[in-house]
PDB file of all heavy atoms in Angstrom:
ATOM      1  N   ALA A  32      18.008 -17.548  11.806  1.00  0.00           N
ATOM      2  CA  ALA A  32      17.243 -16.654  12.671  1.00  0.00           C
ATOM      3  C   ALA A  32      17.102 -15.256  12.059  1.00  0.00           C
ATOM      4  O   ALA A  32      16.037 -14.641  12.090  1.00  0.00           O
ATOM      5  CB  ALA A  32      17.912 -16.564  14.044  1.00  0.00           C
ATOM      6  N   VAL A  33      18.188 -14.775  11.477  1.00  0.00           N
ATOM      7  CA  VAL A  33      18.190 -13.448  10.883  1.00  0.00           C
ATOM      8  C   VAL A  33      17.240 -13.372   9.681  1.00  0.00           C
ATOM      9  O   VAL A  33      16.455 -12.436   9.537  1.00  0.00           O
ATOM     10  CB  VAL A  33      19.605 -13.032  10.458  1.00  0.00           C
ATOM     11  CG1 VAL A  33      19.591 -11.778   9.576  1.00  0.00           C
ATOM     12  CG2 VAL A  33      20.473 -12.775  11.694  1.00  0.00           C
ATOM     13  N   LEU A  61      24.369  -2.013  17.021  1.00  0.00           N
ATOM     14  CA  LEU A  61      24.230  -2.051  15.581  1.00  0.00           C
ATOM     15  C   LEU A  61      23.702  -0.697  15.148  1.00  0.00           C
ATOM     16  O   LEU A  61      22.687  -0.212  15.650  1.00  0.00           O
ATOM     17  CB  LEU A  61      23.275  -3.167  15.143  1.00  0.00           C
ATOM     18  CG  LEU A  61      23.224  -3.501  13.641  1.00  0.00           C
ATOM     19  CD1 LEU A  61      22.752  -4.952  13.421  1.00  0.00           C
ATOM     20  CD2 LEU A  61      22.319  -2.568  12.875  1.00  0.00           C
ATOM     21  N   ASP A 102      34.753   2.840   6.420  1.00  0.00           N
ATOM     22  CA  ASP A 102      35.724   1.799   6.079  1.00  0.00           C
ATOM     23  C   ASP A 102      35.003   0.480   5.831  1.00  0.00           C
ATOM     24  O   ASP A 102      34.341  -0.055   6.734  1.00  0.00           O
ATOM     25  CB  ASP A 102      36.710   1.644   7.251  1.00  0.00           C
ATOM     26  CG  ASP A 102      37.878   0.722   6.877  1.00  0.00           C
ATOM     27  OD1 ASP A 102      37.802   0.059   5.814  1.00  0.00           O
ATOM     28  OD2 ASP A 102      38.827   0.635   7.668  1.00  0.00           O
ATOM     29  N   PRO A 103      35.093  -0.075   4.621  1.00  0.00           N
ATOM     30  CA  PRO A 103      34.397  -1.332   4.316  1.00  0.00           C
ATOM     31  C   PRO A 103      35.081  -2.554   4.907  1.00  0.00           C
ATOM     32  O   PRO A 103      34.631  -3.674   4.688  1.00  0.00           O
ATOM     33  CB  PRO A 103      34.413  -1.372   2.783  1.00  0.00           C
ATOM     34  CG  PRO A 103      35.649  -0.635   2.400  1.00  0.00           C
ATOM     35  CD  PRO A 103      35.799   0.470   3.432  1.00  0.00           C
ATOM     36  N   PRO A 115      43.382   6.380  17.391  1.00  0.00           N
ATOM     37  CA  PRO A 115      43.658   7.807  17.291  1.00  0.00           C
ATOM     38  C   PRO A 115      42.404   8.677  17.163  1.00  0.00           C
ATOM     39  O   PRO A 115      42.472   9.875  17.487  1.00  0.00           O
ATOM     40  CB  PRO A 115      44.531   7.909  16.022  1.00  0.00           C
ATOM     41  CG  PRO A 115      44.342   6.610  15.310  1.00  0.00           C
ATOM     42  CD  PRO A 115      44.066   5.587  16.343  1.00  0.00           C
ATOM     43  N   ASP A 160      36.850 -14.967  15.324  1.00  0.00           N
ATOM     44  CA  ASP A 160      35.671 -14.174  15.628  1.00  0.00           C
ATOM     45  C   ASP A 160      35.357 -13.208  14.461  1.00  0.00           C
ATOM     46  O   ASP A 160      34.186 -13.041  14.073  1.00  0.00           O
ATOM     47  CB  ASP A 160      35.885 -13.335  16.884  1.00  0.00           C
ATOM     48  CG  ASP A 160      35.992 -14.185  18.133  1.00  0.00           C
ATOM     49  OD1 ASP A 160      35.408 -15.276  18.161  1.00  0.00           O
ATOM     50  OD2 ASP A 160      36.667 -13.737  19.089  1.00  0.00           O
ATOM     51  N   GLU A 161      36.404 -12.633  13.934  1.00  0.00           N
ATOM     52  CA  GLU A 161      36.234 -11.698  12.822  1.00  0.00           C
ATOM     53  C   GLU A 161      35.630 -12.392  11.598  1.00  0.00           C
ATOM     54  O   GLU A 161      34.733 -11.870  10.931  1.00  0.00           O
ATOM     55  CB  GLU A 161      37.595 -11.088  12.459  1.00  0.00           C
ATOM     56  CG  GLU A 161      37.550 -10.032  11.401  1.00  0.00           C
ATOM     57  CD  GLU A 161      38.911  -9.417  11.142  1.00  0.00           C
ATOM     58  OE1 GLU A 161      39.626  -9.124  12.125  1.00  0.00           O
ATOM     59  OE2 GLU A 161      39.270  -9.259   9.953  1.00  0.00           O
ATOM     60  N   ALA A 169      27.466 -10.773   5.865  1.00  0.00           N
ATOM     61  CA  ALA A 169      27.079 -10.980   4.473  1.00  0.00           C
ATOM     62  C   ALA A 169      25.599 -11.397   4.378  1.00  0.00           C
ATOM     63  O   ALA A 169      24.844 -10.898   3.523  1.00  0.00           O
ATOM     64  CB  ALA A 169      27.944 -12.071   3.839  1.00  0.00           C
ATOM     65  N   HIS A 170      25.165 -12.303   5.263  1.00  0.00           N
ATOM     66  CA  HIS A 170      23.751 -12.696   5.256  1.00  0.00           C
ATOM     67  C   HIS A 170      22.872 -11.605   5.846  1.00  0.00           C
ATOM     68  O   HIS A 170      21.719 -11.463   5.451  1.00  0.00           O
ATOM     69  CB  HIS A 170      23.603 -14.006   6.034  1.00  0.00           C
ATOM     70  CG  HIS A 170      24.208 -15.181   5.345  1.00  0.00           C
ATOM     71  ND1 HIS A 170      23.577 -15.853   4.334  1.00  0.00           N
ATOM     72  CD2 HIS A 170      25.392 -15.792   5.495  1.00  0.00           C
ATOM     73  CE1 HIS A 170      24.336 -16.841   3.890  1.00  0.00           C
ATOM     74  NE2 HIS A 170      25.461 -16.835   4.581  1.00  0.00           N
ATOM     75  N   ILE A 173      21.742  -9.132   3.170  1.00  0.00           N
ATOM     76  CA  ILE A 173      20.637  -9.641   2.365  1.00  0.00           C
ATOM     77  C   ILE A 173      19.319  -9.546   3.121  1.00  0.00           C
ATOM     78  O   ILE A 173      18.296  -9.120   2.578  1.00  0.00           O
ATOM     79  CB  ILE A 173      20.918 -11.099   1.954  1.00  0.00           C
ATOM     80  CG1 ILE A 173      22.156 -11.166   1.071  1.00  0.00           C
ATOM     81  CG2 ILE A 173      19.704 -11.698   1.227  1.00  0.00           C
ATOM     82  CD1 ILE A 173      22.642 -12.582   0.804  1.00  0.00           C
ATOM     83  N   ASN A 177      16.099  -7.297   2.055  1.00  0.00           N
ATOM     84  CA  ASN A 177      14.811  -7.991   1.826  1.00  0.00           C
ATOM     85  C   ASN A 177      13.722  -7.433   2.730  1.00  0.00           C
ATOM     86  O   ASN A 177      12.585  -7.243   2.286  1.00  0.00           O
ATOM     87  CB  ASN A 177      14.965  -9.501   2.068  1.00  0.00           C
ATOM     88  CG  ASN A 177      15.706 -10.177   0.935  1.00  0.00           C
ATOM     89  OD1 ASN A 177      15.868  -9.626  -0.148  1.00  0.00           O
ATOM     90  ND2 ASN A 177      16.146 -11.402   1.171  1.00  0.00           N
ATOM     91  N   SER A 188       1.204  -1.342  -1.044  1.00  0.00           N
ATOM     92  CA  SER A 188      -0.073  -2.041  -1.012  1.00  0.00           C
ATOM     93  C   SER A 188      -1.110  -1.225  -0.243  1.00  0.00           C
ATOM     94  O   SER A 188      -2.271  -1.168  -0.644  1.00  0.00           O
ATOM     95  CB  SER A 188       0.085  -3.412  -0.351  1.00  0.00           C
ATOM     96  OG  SER A 188       0.910  -4.243  -1.125  1.00  0.00           O
ATOM     97  N   GLU A 191      -2.182   1.616  -2.494  1.00  0.00           N
ATOM     98  CA  GLU A 191      -3.077   1.108  -3.526  1.00  0.00           C
ATOM     99  C   GLU A 191      -4.470   0.804  -2.956  1.00  0.00           C
ATOM    100  O   GLU A 191      -5.481   1.068  -3.608  1.00  0.00           O
ATOM    101  CB  GLU A 191      -2.479  -0.139  -4.166  1.00  0.00           C
ATOM    102  CG  GLU A 191      -1.267   0.152  -5.031  1.00  0.00           C
ATOM    103  CD  GLU A 191      -0.562  -1.086  -5.468  1.00  0.00           C
ATOM    104  OE1 GLU A 191      -0.987  -2.222  -5.069  1.00  0.00           O
ATOM    105  OE2 GLU A 191       0.445  -0.980  -6.200  1.00  0.00           O
ATOM    106  N   ARG A 195      -8.006   2.340  -4.019  1.00  0.00           N
ATOM    107  CA  ARG A 195      -9.148   1.491  -4.414  1.00  0.00           C
ATOM    108  C   ARG A 195     -10.393   1.917  -3.630  1.00  0.00           C
ATOM    109  O   ARG A 195     -11.473   2.077  -4.214  1.00  0.00           O
ATOM    110  CB  ARG A 195      -8.857   0.027  -4.137  1.00  0.00           C
ATOM    111  CG  ARG A 195     -10.031  -0.902  -4.527  1.00  0.00           C
ATOM    112  CD  ARG A 195      -9.786  -2.315  -4.011  1.00  0.00           C
ATOM    113  NE  ARG A 195      -9.923  -2.419  -2.560  1.00  0.00           N
ATOM    114  CZ  ARG A 195     -11.092  -2.504  -1.947  1.00  0.00           C
ATOM    115  NH1 ARG A 195     -12.226  -2.482  -2.609  1.00  0.00           N
ATOM    116  NH2 ARG A 195     -11.127  -2.622  -0.615  1.00  0.00           N
ATOM    117  N   GLN A 206     -22.688   7.978  -5.137  1.00  0.00           N
ATOM    118  CA  GLN A 206     -23.779   8.039  -6.095  1.00  0.00           C
ATOM    119  C   GLN A 206     -25.092   7.601  -5.468  1.00  0.00           C
ATOM    120  O   GLN A 206     -26.133   8.229  -5.709  1.00  0.00           O
ATOM    121  CB  GLN A 206     -23.407   7.127  -7.291  1.00  0.00           C
ATOM    122  CG  GLN A 206     -22.205   7.624  -8.057  1.00  0.00           C
ATOM    123  CD  GLN A 206     -21.626   6.598  -8.996  1.00  0.00           C
ATOM    124  OE1 GLN A 206     -22.116   5.480  -9.060  1.00  0.00           O
ATOM    125  NE2 GLN A 206     -20.626   6.977  -9.744  1.00  0.00           N
ATOM    126  N   ALA A 218     -39.511  13.728  -1.075  1.00  0.00           N
ATOM    127  CA  ALA A 218     -40.446  13.302  -0.037  1.00  0.00           C
ATOM    128  C   ALA A 218     -40.821  14.472   0.878  1.00  0.00           C
ATOM    129  O   ALA A 218     -41.973  14.648   1.260  1.00  0.00           O
ATOM    130  CB  ALA A 218     -39.844  12.175   0.768  1.00  0.00           C
ATOM    131  N   ALA A 220     -40.847  17.636   0.101  1.00  0.00           N
ATOM    132  CA  ALA A 220     -41.710  18.574  -0.612  1.00  0.00           C
ATOM    133  C   ALA A 220     -43.132  18.072  -0.728  1.00  0.00           C
ATOM    134  O   ALA A 220     -44.098  18.863  -0.821  1.00  0.00           O
ATOM    135  CB  ALA A 220     -41.130  18.860  -1.979  1.00  0.00           C
ATOM    136  N   ARG A 224     -48.799  18.022   0.802  1.00  0.00           N
ATOM    137  CA  ARG A 224     -49.812  18.035  -0.237  1.00  0.00           C
ATOM    138  C   ARG A 224     -50.108  16.668  -0.841  1.00  0.00           C
ATOM    139  O   ARG A 224     -51.154  16.479  -1.465  1.00  0.00           O
ATOM    140  CB  ARG A 224     -49.432  19.009  -1.355  1.00  0.00           C
ATOM    141  CG  ARG A 224     -48.075  18.758  -2.017  1.00  0.00           C
ATOM    142  CD  ARG A 224     -47.732  19.945  -2.937  1.00  0.00           C
ATOM    143  NE  ARG A 224     -46.411  19.827  -3.500  1.00  0.00           N
ATOM    144  CZ  ARG A 224     -46.107  19.158  -4.598  1.00  0.00           C
ATOM    145  NH1 ARG A 224     -47.070  18.514  -5.246  1.00  0.00           N
ATOM    146  NH2 ARG A 224     -44.868  19.135  -5.043  1.00  0.00           N
ATOM    147  N   ARG A 255     -17.300  -8.257  -4.847  1.00  0.00           N
ATOM    148  CA  ARG A 255     -17.915  -7.663  -6.034  1.00  0.00           C
ATOM    149  C   ARG A 255     -19.045  -6.740  -5.600  1.00  0.00           C
ATOM    150  O   ARG A 255     -19.588  -6.886  -4.518  1.00  0.00           O
ATOM    151  CB  ARG A 255     -18.472  -8.753  -6.956  1.00  0.00           C
ATOM    152  CG  ARG A 255     -17.383  -9.602  -7.568  1.00  0.00           C
ATOM    153  CD  ARG A 255     -17.956 -10.476  -8.666  1.00  0.00           C
ATOM    154  NE  ARG A 255     -18.916 -11.437  -8.162  1.00  0.00           N
ATOM    155  CZ  ARG A 255     -19.647 -12.220  -8.935  1.00  0.00           C
ATOM    156  NH1 ARG A 255     -19.540 -12.144 -10.232  1.00  0.00           N
ATOM    157  NH2 ARG A 255     -20.501 -13.084  -8.405  1.00  0.00           N
ATOM    158  N   ARG A 284     -32.833   4.439 -20.243  1.00  0.00           N
ATOM    159  CA  ARG A 284     -33.156   3.153 -20.835  1.00  0.00           C
ATOM    160  C   ARG A 284     -31.913   2.313 -21.013  1.00  0.00           C
ATOM    161  O   ARG A 284     -30.845   2.811 -21.387  1.00  0.00           O
ATOM    162  CB  ARG A 284     -33.854   3.371 -22.181  1.00  0.00           C
ATOM    163  CG  ARG A 284     -35.198   4.050 -22.087  1.00  0.00           C
ATOM    164  CD  ARG A 284     -36.222   3.109 -21.426  1.00  0.00           C
ATOM    165  NE  ARG A 284     -37.536   3.726 -21.310  1.00  0.00           N
ATOM    166  CZ  ARG A 284     -37.996   4.339 -20.217  1.00  0.00           C
ATOM    167  NH1 ARG A 284     -37.210   4.393 -19.143  1.00  0.00           N
ATOM    168  NH2 ARG A 284     -39.199   4.862 -20.173  1.00  0.00           N
ATOM    169  N   ALA A 297     -13.263  -9.452 -12.466  1.00  0.00           N
ATOM    170  CA  ALA A 297     -12.631  -8.145 -12.480  1.00  0.00           C
ATOM    171  C   ALA A 297     -13.215  -7.294 -13.602  1.00  0.00           C
ATOM    172  O   ALA A 297     -13.455  -6.088 -13.424  1.00  0.00           O
ATOM    173  CB  ALA A 297     -11.116  -8.266 -12.665  1.00  0.00           C
ATOM    174  N   ALA A 301     -15.445  -3.798 -13.486  1.00  0.00           N
ATOM    175  CA  ALA A 301     -15.026  -2.595 -14.238  1.00  0.00           C
ATOM    176  C   ALA A 301     -16.179  -2.083 -15.077  1.00  0.00           C
ATOM    177  O   ALA A 301     -16.470  -0.874 -15.073  1.00  0.00           O
ATOM    178  CB  ALA A 301     -13.811  -2.920 -15.095  1.00  0.00           C
ATOM    179  N   ARG A 315     -25.711  14.306 -12.962  1.00  0.00           N
ATOM    180  CA  ARG A 315     -25.234  15.422 -12.178  1.00  0.00           C
ATOM    181  C   ARG A 315     -24.880  16.642 -13.046  1.00  0.00           C
ATOM    182  O   ARG A 315     -25.094  17.791 -12.636  1.00  0.00           O
ATOM    183  CB  ARG A 315     -23.972  15.018 -11.373  1.00  0.00           C
ATOM    184  CG  ARG A 315     -24.271  14.261 -10.116  1.00  0.00           C
ATOM    185  CD  ARG A 315     -23.037  14.202  -9.225  1.00  0.00           C
ATOM    186  NE  ARG A 315     -21.967  13.431  -9.820  1.00  0.00           N
ATOM    187  CZ  ARG A 315     -21.722  12.141  -9.556  1.00  0.00           C
ATOM    188  NH1 ARG A 315     -22.514  11.497  -8.708  1.00  0.00           N
ATOM    189  NH2 ARG A 315     -20.744  11.496 -10.130  1.00  0.00           N
ATOM    190  N   ALA A 319     -29.552  16.375 -19.000  1.00  0.00           N
ATOM    191  CA  ALA A 319     -30.096  15.619 -20.135  1.00  0.00           C
ATOM    192  C   ALA A 319     -31.571  15.310 -19.933  1.00  0.00           C
ATOM    193  O   ALA A 319     -32.073  15.221 -18.806  1.00  0.00           O
ATOM    194  CB  ALA A 319     -29.309  14.314 -20.300  1.00  0.00           C
ATOM    195  N   SER A 348     -11.364  20.460 -20.540  1.00  0.00           N
ATOM    196  CA  SER A 348     -11.539  21.621 -19.654  1.00  0.00           C
ATOM    197  C   SER A 348     -12.079  21.236 -18.281  1.00  0.00           C
ATOM    198  O   SER A 348     -12.593  22.090 -17.572  1.00  0.00           O
ATOM    199  CB  SER A 348     -12.502  22.612 -20.303  1.00  0.00           C
ATOM    200  OG  SER A 348     -13.811  22.062 -20.370  1.00  0.00           O
ATOM    201  N   SER A 360     -11.057   8.049 -12.650  1.00  0.00           N
ATOM    202  CA  SER A 360     -11.433   6.755 -12.057  1.00  0.00           C
ATOM    203  C   SER A 360     -11.859   5.756 -13.136  1.00  0.00           C
ATOM    204  O   SER A 360     -11.448   4.590 -13.118  1.00  0.00           O
ATOM    205  CB  SER A 360     -12.553   6.967 -11.056  1.00  0.00           C
ATOM    206  OG  SER A 360     -13.028   5.726 -10.567  1.00  0.00           O
ATOM    207  N   ARG A 364      -9.952   2.225 -14.157  1.00  0.00           N
ATOM    208  CA  ARG A 364     -10.646   0.947 -14.123  1.00  0.00           C
ATOM    209  C   ARG A 364     -10.542   0.227 -15.478  1.00  0.00           C
ATOM    210  O   ARG A 364     -10.342  -0.984 -15.538  1.00  0.00           O
ATOM    211  CB  ARG A 364     -12.115   1.157 -13.746  1.00  0.00           C
ATOM    212  CG  ARG A 364     -12.327   1.461 -12.298  1.00  0.00           C
ATOM    213  CD  ARG A 364     -13.823   1.475 -11.990  1.00  0.00           C
ATOM    214  NE  ARG A 364     -14.048   1.731 -10.583  1.00  0.00           N
ATOM    215  CZ  ARG A 364     -13.958   0.828  -9.643  1.00  0.00           C
ATOM    216  NH1 ARG A 364     -13.637  -0.405  -9.959  1.00  0.00           N
ATOM    217  NH2 ARG A 364     -14.199   1.129  -8.383  1.00  0.00           N
ATOM    218  N   ARG A 375     -16.557  10.986 -25.829  1.00  0.00           N
ATOM    219  CA  ARG A 375     -16.741  11.899 -26.957  1.00  0.00           C
ATOM    220  C   ARG A 375     -17.831  12.901 -26.544  1.00  0.00           C
ATOM    221  O   ARG A 375     -18.959  12.530 -26.226  1.00  0.00           O
ATOM    222  CB  ARG A 375     -17.185  11.148 -28.209  1.00  0.00           C
ATOM    223  CG  ARG A 375     -16.151  10.191 -28.736  1.00  0.00           C
ATOM    224  CD  ARG A 375     -16.380   9.860 -30.218  1.00  0.00           C
ATOM    225  NE  ARG A 375     -17.633   9.189 -30.455  1.00  0.00           N
ATOM    226  CZ  ARG A 375     -17.790   7.870 -30.444  1.00  0.00           C
ATOM    227  NH1 ARG A 375     -16.757   7.071 -30.168  1.00  0.00           N
ATOM    228  NH2 ARG A 375     -18.991   7.323 -30.685  1.00  0.00           N
TER     229      ARG A 375
END
Side-chain angles (χ1 to χ4, degrees):
V33 168
L61 191 156
D102 188 350
D160 292 333
E161 185 177 316
H170 291 279
I173 297 170
N177 285 344
S188 295
E191 289 171 358
R195 180 190 71 80
Q206 295 166 357
R224 57 189 174 85
R255 293 191 296 173
R284 294 292 180 263
R315 281 195 294 263
S348 67
S360 174
R364 285 187 178 279
R375 297 201 297 270

